[in-house]
Amino acid sequence: MNEKTIATIALSDQGFADLQAVLREAAHWVEAASVQGADLAVLPETVNLLHRSAHDAPPEHFALEDWRTETAILREAAAKHRISLVLPLLVRDGASLANRFYLLSRDGSELGFYQKQVPATGERLAGVQPAHNTPLRWEGLTLGGGICIDVYFPNSVFDPQMEAGADLFVIPSMTPAGAFLDSCAVLYGVPFVLAYSPWSRILDRDGKELAAGGFRSETLRASLGSPMQQAKINFDAVSLFADFNGEKILALQRHYGPKVRVRFDQSNCLFFVESRSVDLSIGEIMREFGLISRRDYFAQLDPEMATRSSAKNIL
């Protein structure tokens, strides 16, 4: 069993006079997420543009030249409360612009960044540059990324990161992604975390919502309740296509008893198996019973997919 609690934080794009006001609000909710037991907080896309409505200037005017110094109040709050942070920003990188999220560890150190791979039309016109990315390492997990419209290009954005062993995807966004995101969770067999202020969503590997909410809520618009959503996810788990694996499930359950949890998704023909014991890994379970993940099962049936599939990836 390897459980992590992940939180999303919704932030309004109204009522902020400047960036420091945005960061103070974000810091308040990052602290609240930590108090509630979150290991990682994910903020919505380009938080340094949220005060833009109070000014008459194009987005590029708000790009940060020295993001570390300019976001110190938020970074220091996260480090003080020992919570990791996904911090999405529009930044200047030399002569160009980049839409990125930076991944910060519990002590505030930088673990790397993800840069938007498919900038939208307005971003391209403003000079925002695309980039190809590799997943980031975070507390023993491989964290894949996407930003906003990236989600609609899964073959070029998600496939390479899955082949590099991504255990989950975090997506700061200004688009809701909708049912498309549900299908991605099922297709890739990993959790997806969408930080979208109107309606953030945390999806398990079966595409089902573990948590959802945001400023579409009448309660939140009335300044009641919390803009924070969070869920505990077990990453010691796997999606199995029923063919080949299904005949072994009953024996697996009898062998491990309460050390495993098994769910069957009839409509998608999938079993979801997770370890519920600290001394039993999903890798051990799969080796013991000769199981194969949904992704690898289909890869062996499709020669083209098989050539792209990573031997490391078991999820």
Side-chain angles (χ1 to χ4, degrees):
M1 184 169 62
N2 179 17
E3 292 183 327
K4 299 287 187 185
T5 298
I6 299 179
T8 62
I9 295 171
L11 295 170
S12 174
D13 61 355
Q14 302 291 325
F16 294 116
D18 54 32
L19 175 59
Q20 294 308 304
V22 175
L23 298 177
R24 284 193 296 271
E25 178 75 2
H28 170 77
W29 292 110
V30 165
E31 177 184 355
S34 175
V35 170
Q36 290 294 308
D39 301 292
L40 173 70
V42 186
L43 299 178
E45 183 181 4
T46 53
V47 297
N48 56 312
L49 299 186
L50 294 178
H51 64 294
R52 181 187 168 203
S53 61
H55 305 272
D56 183 19
E60 53 268 31
H61 175 80
F62 301 95
L64 301 186
E65 303 277 357
D66 180 6
W67 72 270
R68 295 173 184 84
T69 299
E70 292 167 287
T71 64
I73 186 174
L74 174 56
R75 294 189 303 102
E76 290 170 4
K80 176 182 177 181
H81 296 286
R82 304 296 295 172
I83 183 171
S84 296
L85 183 65
V86 168
L87 176 55
L89 300 167
L90 180 68
V91 299
R92 292 195 181 277
D93 185 359
S96 63
L97 298 177
N99 184 343
R100 293 174 175 169
F101 70 71
Y102 293 89
L103 178 60
L104 307 178
S105 70
R106 293 177 193 264
D107 64 4
S109 59
E110 297 168 33
L111 300 178
F113 66 82
Y114 174 95
Q115 183 164 328
K116 193 171 188 178
Q117 187 167 323
V118 188
T121 300
E123 291 177 309
R124 291 178 183 273
L125 292 175
V128 173
Q129 297 300 306
H132 291 280
N133 301 271
T134 56
L136 305 169
R137 293 293 294 170
W138 172 69
E139 298 192 359
L141 297 173
T142 301
L143 186 147
I147 296 177
C148 197
I149 203 170
D150 281 351
V151 74
Y152 299 113
F153 298 85
N155 292 341
S156 58
V157 174
F158 297 146
D159 278 7
Q161 295 184 82
M162 280 300 302
E163 290 161 15
D167 295 305
L168 77 157
F169 286 94
V170 296
I171 306 170
S173 187
M174 289 188 182
T175 187
F180 194 85
L181 195 69
D182 303 356
S183 65
C184 285
V186 175
L187 175 65
Y188 293 107
V190 299
F192 276 72
V193 178
L194 181 84
Y196 170 59
S197 288
W199 203 254
S200 297
R201 305 174 71 213
I202 302 176
L203 305 180
D204 207 346
R205 61 191 71 245
D206 58 1
K208 302 296 191 299
E209 284 184 351
L210 297 173
F215 283 98
R216 285 182 191 165
S217 164
E218 293 179 5
T219 302
L220 193 56
R221 290 202 306 271
S223 300
L224 300 172
S226 168
M228 180 180 67
Q229 303 297 318
Q230 68 178 48
K232 182 177 289 187
I233 301 172
N234 185 5
F235 290 96
D236 214 354
V238 67
S239 302
L240 306 172
F241 192 63
D243 187 32
F244 177 80
N245 295 296
E247 62 194 31
K248 305 176 182 182
I249 295 297
L250 184 57
L252 181 155
Q253 290 176 298
R254 288 173 173 166
H255 182 75
Y256 290 113
K259 287 188 173 183
V260 299
R261 178 185 293 161
V262 178
R263 293 180 294 117
F264 183 51
D265 180 351
Q266 177 71 58
S267 61
N268 288 307
C269 203
L270 293 174
F271 285 98
F272 300 96
V273 181
E274 60 179 296
S275 168
R276 300 302 304 166
S277 172
V278 295
D279 59 0
L280 178 66
S281 72
I282 197 65
E284 293 176 73
I285 295 170
M286 294 181 72
R287 288 189 294 271
E288 176 73 20
F289 282 86
L291 303 173
I292 183 170
S293 72
R294 176 203 180 279
R295 185 173 173 82
D296 287 345
Y297 176 81
F298 284 109
Q300 70 181 10
L301 302 180
D302 179 355
E304 290 188 12
M305 184 176 176
T307 60
R308 301 192 302 268
S309 182
S310 168
K312 174 187 174 185
N313 177 39
I314 67 165
L315 296 180

